[in-house]
Amino acid sequence: MESPTPQSVTSPSDFCATLLQNSLKSRDLLSGKLVHARIIKSGLHLGVYLMNNLINFYAKTGFSSDAHNVFDEMPVKNISSWNTVLSAYAKQGRIDAARRMFEKMPYPDSVSWTVMIVAYSQIGHFETAIRMFLGMMMEKVLPTQYTVTNILASCASIKSLDIGRKVHTLIVKLGLSSYLTVANSLLNMYAKSGDPVTAEIVFDRMRLKSTSSWNAMISLHMQSGRLDLALTQFEQMSERDIVSWNSMISGYNQRGFDLEALNMFSKMLKDLSLKPDRYTLASVLSACANMEDLNLGKQIHAHIVRTEFDTFGPVGNALISMYSKSGDVERARKILAHSVTSDLSVIAFTALLDGYIKLGDLNPAREIFDSLKDRDVVAWTAMIVGYVQNGFNYDAADLFRIMFKEGPKPNSYTLAAILSVASNLASLMHGKQIHATAIRSGEASTVSVSNALTTMYAKAGSINSARKVFDLVRWSKDTVSWTSMIVSLAQHGLGEEAIELFEEMLTCSIKPDHITYVGVLSACTHVGLVEQGRSYFKLMKDKNGIEPTPSHYACMLDLYGRAGMLEEAQDFIENMPIEPDIIAWGSVLASCKVHKNVELAKIAADRLLLLEPGNSGAYSSLANVYSACGRWQEAAKIRKMMKDRQVKKEQGFSWVQIRNEVHVFGVEDGLHPQREAIYQLMAEIWKAIKKMGFIPETEAVLHDLDEEVKEQILRHHSEKLAIAFGLLNTPENTTLRIMKNLRVCNDCHSAIKYISKLVGREIIVRDATRFHHFEGGSCSCRDYW
C-alpha cells in the first residue's frame, strides 16, 4: 500500500501575496485593504517580498500615496521597492514626485533610469529624457532593449540625429540590434530625423521584418517624395494592416496625388478583412476636397453613414472641409450644426469659413468667425486673408488690430497677409508698424514675411528699404524672394540693378519661374535693352523650358514699342503662336501714341475692340493718336463714337496719405477744403518752374483749345494738385509719395522734375505701370518711360 502524497505547504507570507495578486486582478480595493490589515496583525510586515506585493497593489490601483506610506514603513527595502513606487508616480504623470523619489534612490538600476526616461518622453520632454539617458551612461548602468527603444523615440521626435547615431553605436556594442523592436525603433529614428540612406541600410540588414518595419519604409519613401519606391515595397508586403494602407493613401494625398489616393482607397475596400479608420476616411475626404470632386465626396459620405462610422473629430472636420472646398458650403454648415461642437477642432470652422470666403460671401463667413469660442491663429488668418482677397483692405486692417489686442499672437502667414494690405494701400506708415511687430515676434526673418515686406516697401515707393529687407535674408531666399526684388527694381526704373540681380540669382542656382522672367523682361523694357531682352526671352524657353505666357509676349511687344521698333512689334504680334490678348494689343496701341503711328494704331484699336468692345482705353488711345498728329476731326469722330456707344473714359485720380488720412484729387478738383491754397501754390510753382526753363507740353491736351486754356488744364492735373497739397501739409525736406491710377502724362513728368529741384525734395509718383523717383530735377526713369 502506497503512502499518501503530502499536501503542499504554503507559508502565510506566500498566501497573503497570492490574495493581494487576486485582489489586484479583480480590482477589489476592499479585499486588498483586508489583506493589508491581516499582514499587520500577523506580524508579516517585516518581509520584503510581501511588502513589495502590497506596494504594487496600491500603486496599480491608483493609490500611490498609500504605496509610498507602506514604502516608508518598511524597515528593509530592495531595489524593487523603490522602482514600484517610482513607476507609480511616473504612470500617474506626477513627474516631480517621481524625480524626487529617483534622486533619493541609493543605487538606481536600469529599470529606475528607464522609468524616468519613459516618463519624460510621454509628457513631451524629449530633451530631458535624452539628458537622463546620458546620465545613465555616465553612471555605467547598462540599458535594456526597452530603454533604447524609448530613447530612440525621443531622438526621432526632436530629430536629434547625432544622439540617435551614438545610441545606434551603443546598441551594436551591446548586441541589441537583433531585437525586432530595437531595429524598428532605429528605422523610425533615421526616417524621422532625415537620414533615409541609413534607414534603408538598417531595413536591408534586418533578418526579421514585421509589418511595422515595412510601414516605416513606406512612410519614409512617401515623405521623401519617392512614391514609386513606396508602392514597390507596399506590393512586396506579405501582410498589410490598416497602417500600411493609410501610409499609402495619406502619402499620396499629402503629395498632391489625390487621384492615386482614391484609387488606393478603392483597392483597400476590396479587402474584406480591413475596415477604414478615421485616418483613412480623413485622407480620402481630403483628396476629394483638393480635387473639388463633390460627387465622389458624397459617395464616401454615404459610405460613412451606411457603416455608422463615428463622424466626430478628424472625419467630421474632413467632411466639412470637403463640402466647403467643393462649393457646397450650406451642406458643410448643416453638418457642423448637427455635430457636437466640442468634438470638432477649429480646422472645421476654418474650412467652412474659407468656403464662404471663396464665394465672396463674407457676411456669413464673419458670422461663423465671430461664433468661434476658441479662435486660433489659423482662423484669424483665414478671415483676414478672405478680406484681403476680396479687396476689403480696411476690414482686414481692423480685424488685425482686434487680433493684436485680443487674439492669439500673429504668425508669419498673418503678418504676410496684413502686409499685403499695406501694399495695396501703399501705406508706408502702417507697413513700418507691421514690420516692427514682425521683428518683435521674431517672424521678420521668415521667407513669407520677408517677401511680403519687400513687396510692401517697394509698392510704397521705398525701394531702398525693400532692398535692405531682401539682403537681410540672403541665405534663406526662395524663387519668390528673388522675383519680388527683381520685379520691384524694374518697376522703380532700376533696370540695370534688376538685371544684375537676375544674373546673381542664376549664379546661386535658384531656378527662375515664369514671373521672374516677366520681371527681367520688364526691366529690359524700362531701360531700352532690346537685345538683352531678346536673349532672356530665348533663355527662358531654351534653358528653363518655360513656355511664354501672354504676359511674356506683352513684355516683348512693350520692349519693341518703347524703343520705337514698331515694325518689329507688328511682325512679332502677327507671328505669335498664341492669340494676342487685350494687354498685347494695348501695348502696341500705347507705343503708337508715343511714336505717332496712325496706321498701326488703327489696326491695334480694331483688334482690341473685337476682344473687348467696351474698352474705353482703345477709343481714348486712338483718339489721342489722331490728336497728337493734329488730325482733330478724326479724333472727334472717335470721341463721338464713344459717346454714342456709351463707353465712359476712366477718370484719372491721384492721392496722397498725410497723417493717416488719404486725400484724393481729380483733374480741376474743386471739392477739397484747402482748394484755394492748393490752387494758389500751384500757380506760384507754375510761374517759378517756367522761369527755370520749364516749357508746358500743351500738345498733351488732346483738344483743339487756346494755349492759355491748355496751360490751365495742365496746371490742374490731379498729380500736380496732390503735390501742392503735400507741400502745404508736410515738413520741409521730407519725401512726398503720390499715387495715381493712370499713367503720368508727358507734361506732368516734365513739370515734376522741375518741382523737385525747386522745392529741394524727393517726389515719388507711382502710376499705373511703374514708379518715378524725382529728385534734383531728374527722374529715375531717365525719361525712358
Side-chain angles (χ1 to χ4, degrees), residues 45-304:
H45 59 283
L46 300 178
V48 176
Y49 170 73
L50 180 56
M51 297 309 285
N52 281 349
N53 270 271
L54 186 58
I55 293 171
N56 185 57
F57 169 77
Y58 280 125
K60 289 186 176 178
T61 52
F63 292 87
S64 55
S65 296
D66 290 328
H68 204 147
N69 289 336
V70 172
F71 172 84
D72 287 339
E73 292 170 1
M74 290 175 67
V76 180
K77 306 176 181 71
N78 62 12
I79 190 64
S80 179
S81 315
W82 288 89
N83 286 340
T84 304
V85 179
L86 180 70
S87 180
Y89 283 132
K91 287 178 180 178
Q92 288 184 352
R94 298 174 62 184
I95 194 70
D96 292 336
R99 185 63 183 254
R100 287 193 296 272
M101 189 79 181
F102 178 80
E103 289 172 350
K104 290 178 182 178
M105 294 180 72
Y107 301 106
D109 65 358
S110 62
V111 175
S112 317
W113 286 95
T114 303
V115 165
M116 293 304 299
I117 290 167
V118 172
Y120 280 118
S121 296
Q122 288 177 341
I123 62 172
H125 292 189
F126 304 114
E127 292 89 349
T128 308
I130 291 171
R131 284 197 296 271
M132 289 294 300
F133 178 75
L134 295 175
M136 181 181 183
M137 294 300 96
M138 289 178 66
E139 294 294 325
K140 298 182 180 180
V141 177
L142 291 180
T144 64
Q145 67 178 81
Y146 189 56
T147 316
V148 295
T149 55
N150 276 277
I151 205 63
L152 286 170
S154 291
C155 292
S157 297
I158 59 172
K159 297 181 172 60
S160 181
L161 189 58
D162 290 341
I163 300 295
R165 283 175 175 153
K166 290 175 183 176
V167 176
H168 189 178
T169 302
L170 179 65
I171 287 168
V172 173
K173 286 181 181 178
L174 297 176
L176 298 174
S177 53
S178 60
Y179 288 99
L180 181 59
T181 55
V182 174
N184 282 342
S185 295
L186 278 169
L187 189 61
N188 180 64
M189 185 276 296
Y190 281 117
K192 289 185 176 178
S193 300
D195 189 356
V197 175
T198 309
E200 290 186 54
I201 292 171
V202 171
F203 180 78
D204 291 337
R205 289 179 179 176
M206 290 173 67
R207 293 180 181 178
L208 293 174
K209 297 181 177 74
S210 65
T211 304
S212 297
S213 316
W214 289 92
N215 290 344
M217 289 307 297
I218 291 169
S219 179
L220 171 63
H221 291 319
M222 279 295 185
Q223 290 171 8
S224 305
R226 296 178 294 181
L227 278 63
D228 292 341
L229 281 175
L231 181 60
T232 299
Q233 294 212 312
F234 178 79
E235 290 174 342
Q236 289 174 355
M237 293 179 72
S238 56
E239 293 183 10
R240 305 184 187 108
D241 60 11
I242 189 65
V243 177
S244 315
W245 289 94
N246 284 348
S247 296
M248 293 299 298
I249 293 168
S250 65
Y252 278 132
N253 169 231
Q254 291 167 5
R255 283 280 163 181
F257 292 85
D258 297 302
L259 185 59
E260 287 79 359
L262 294 170
N263 288 336
M264 186 63 68
F265 175 65
S266 178
K267 292 177 182 177
M268 175 187 167
L269 292 178
K270 294 176 183 176
D271 187 343
L272 299 178
S273 64
L274 288 172
K275 289 184 179 181
D277 62 11
R278 56 180 179 166
Y279 301 108
T280 324
L281 294 170
S283 293
V284 294
L285 285 169
S286 173
C288 292
N290 293 339
M291 295 173 65
E292 297 183 6
D293 192 333
L294 185 59
N295 289 332
L296 188 55
K298 284 181 176 179
Q299 291 176 31
I300 294 170
H301 189 185
H303 170 81
I304 291 170

Side-chain angles (χ1 to χ4, degrees), residues 295 353 555 577 584 599 665 711 759:
N295 289 332
L353 184 72
C555 284
E599 296 308 315
F665 297 88
E711 275 201 37
V759 300

Side-chain angles (χ1 to χ4, degrees), residues 495-765:
E496 288 89 348
E497 288 90 334
I499 292 166
E500 183 181 333
L501 192 63
F502 177 72
E503 292 292 343
E504 185 183 342
M505 177 184 181
L506 297 179
T507 304
C508 294
S509 300
I510 305 294
K511 188 176 180 181
D513 60 16
H514 66 286
I515 302 175
T516 319
Y517 274 104
V518 170
V520 75
L521 290 173
S522 177
C524 294
T525 296
H526 289 315
V527 289
L529 297 174
V530 176
E531 289 307 316
Q532 197 151 359
R534 281 173 169 162
S535 68
Y536 285 140
F537 188 77
K538 188 174 185 298
L539 180 73
M540 175 182 70
K541 294 190 294 182
D542 297 346
K543 184 174 181 179
N544 295 113
I546 298 173
E547 284 300 315
T549 67
S551 296
H552 298 117
Y553 287 116
C555 284
M556 291 303 295
L557 289 167
D558 206 20
L559 178 68
Y560 290 129
R562 287 173 186 264
M565 302 168 64
L566 295 184
E567 289 185 9
E568 286 84 348
Q570 186 171 3
D571 182 64
F572 186 86
I573 200 168
E574 287 175 353
N575 290 286
M576 281 169 54
I578 63 173
E579 193 67 30
D581 61 7
I582 57 173
I583 297 174
W585 285 114
S587 178
V588 172
L589 187 54
S591 300
C592 292
K593 175 188 170 184
V594 174
H595 299 287
K596 300 179 181 180
N597 187 321
V598 175
E599 296 308 315
L600 183 56
K602 288 171 66 177
I603 295 171
D606 286 343
R607 296 298 297 273
L608 190 52
L609 290 172
L610 278 175
L611 293 171
E612 192 176 344
N615 190 307
S616 62
Y619 291 101
S620 297
S621 295
L622 183 57
N624 291 345
V625 173
Y626 282 130
S627 299
C629 296
R631 295 164 66 167
W632 303 109
Q633 289 184 346
E634 285 145 299
K637 286 180 182 178
I638 298 297
R639 292 195 174 92
K640 185 177 183 301
M641 192 184 299
M642 284 182 70
K643 186 177 181 180
D644 293 342
R645 295 178 181 178
Q646 296 183 333
V647 176
K648 292 185 178 180
K649 179 183 175 182
E650 184 180 0
Q651 187 175 354
F653 291 102
S654 297
W655 60 96
V656 58
Q657 185 173 0
I658 307 287
R659 289 184 291 273
N660 206 26
E661 186 176 354
V662 177
H663 298 262
V664 183
F665 297 88
V667 66
E668 297 284 352
D669 198 310
L671 299 176
H672 197 277
Q674 291 181 253
R675 177 187 180 279
E676 291 185 8
I678 292 168
Y679 274 60
Q680 183 179 343
L681 179 59
M682 196 62 243
E684 293 171 2
I685 290 173
W686 194 257
K687 288 179 183 178
I689 62 176
K690 285 178 75 173
K691 287 180 181 179
M692 293 170 65
F694 167 66
I695 300 173
E697 297 188 30
T698 52
E699 64 269 20
V701 180
L702 302 173
H703 296 278
D704 192 10
L705 301 169
D706 292 338
E707 289 296 305
E708 186 177 341
V709 177
K710 285 185 176 182
E711 275 201 37
Q712 182 180 328
I713 293 172
L714 292 173
R715 193 165 67 238
H716 296 159
H717 272 191
S718 64
E719 51 266 62
K720 294 189 181 90
L721 297 179
I723 289 171
F725 172 78
L727 292 171
L728 285 169
N729 293 277
T730 57
E732 292 184 6
N733 301 319
T734 56
T735 300
L736 277 183
R737 302 175 192 276
I738 310 298
M739 308 296 163
K740 184 173 174 62
N741 65 327
L742 303 178
R743 290 186 65 182
V744 177
C745 73
N746 291 347
D747 182 77
C748 284
H749 190 267
S750 178
I752 299 171
K753 287 195 296 182
Y754 280 93
I755 294 171
S756 70
K757 187 174 183 180
L758 175 69
V759 300
R761 295 214 211 176
E762 181 184 12
I763 302 174
I764 301 173
V765 179

